[in-house]
Amino acid sequence: MTTTTSAGTTKVYRVYIKATPQAIWDAITKPEWTQRYGYQGIAEFDLRPGGGYRARATPEHQQAGMPAVLVEGEVIEVEPPVRLVQTWRATWLDEPATRLTYEIQERGDGISSLTVTHELADAPQTLTQVDGQLESAGGGWPEVLSDLKTLLETGRPLHP
């Protein structure tokens, strides 16, 4: 289901989902979807090169001391519904922005692959957290992508 590879500070995750590329694209870019899986933050995209990206924290995360905007970045490339490249910076860490690429490919029989490539040079704390290596930070990309897959295939997230 999920393939994880690493080359230095680049992490690549792939998941196969019984969904169309458009459904996966919408789940990644539309706030009504992003609040239903993963860390349940509301993603805000200005889907054009140079446009902004923000992931807002849930009220529960804010009550636990997290900032209102958890992740911020800038859109670099947009090719709906198959490719999105952006910068990605965890606002609670004192590290530079990283580069995040989503690639969606139709595979046939109603199945699509989603490949997430996260380039994490000079961001060791971010790498540890997004790779799911820090238990107190959740499961990182592996858990988020599993939750996205479950939601799209069943209509329900992993965690109620």
Side-chain angles (χ1 to χ4, degrees), residues 27-100:
I28 293 167
T29 62
K30 294 190 180 289
E32 61 268 23
W33 279 98
T34 62
Q35 66 186 355
R36 296 178 62 197
Y37 69 92
Y39 296 97
Q40 300 172 341
I42 295 176
E44 299 171 345
F45 279 97
D46 179 357
L47 288 171
R48 61 181 176 81
Y53 164 75
R54 288 189 298 202
R56 296 192 174 278
T58 64
E60 295 79 18
H61 288 134
Q62 290 182 52
Q63 289 172 356
M66 295 302 285
V69 175
L70 291 174
V71 180
E72 61 187 12
E74 181 180 321
V75 174
I76 299 169
E77 295 176 40
V78 183
E79 189 182 336
V82 296
R83 184 173 167 84
L84 174 62
V85 182
Q86 67 178 85
T87 61
W88 194 98
R89 188 181 77 79
T91 60
W92 69 94
L93 298 174
D94 186 23
E95 292 187 330
T98 59
R99 183 179 171 106
L100 182 66

Side-chain angles (χ1 to χ4, degrees), residues 33 38 59 109 113 153 157 160:
W33 279 98
D109 294 329
S113 64
E153 291 181 344

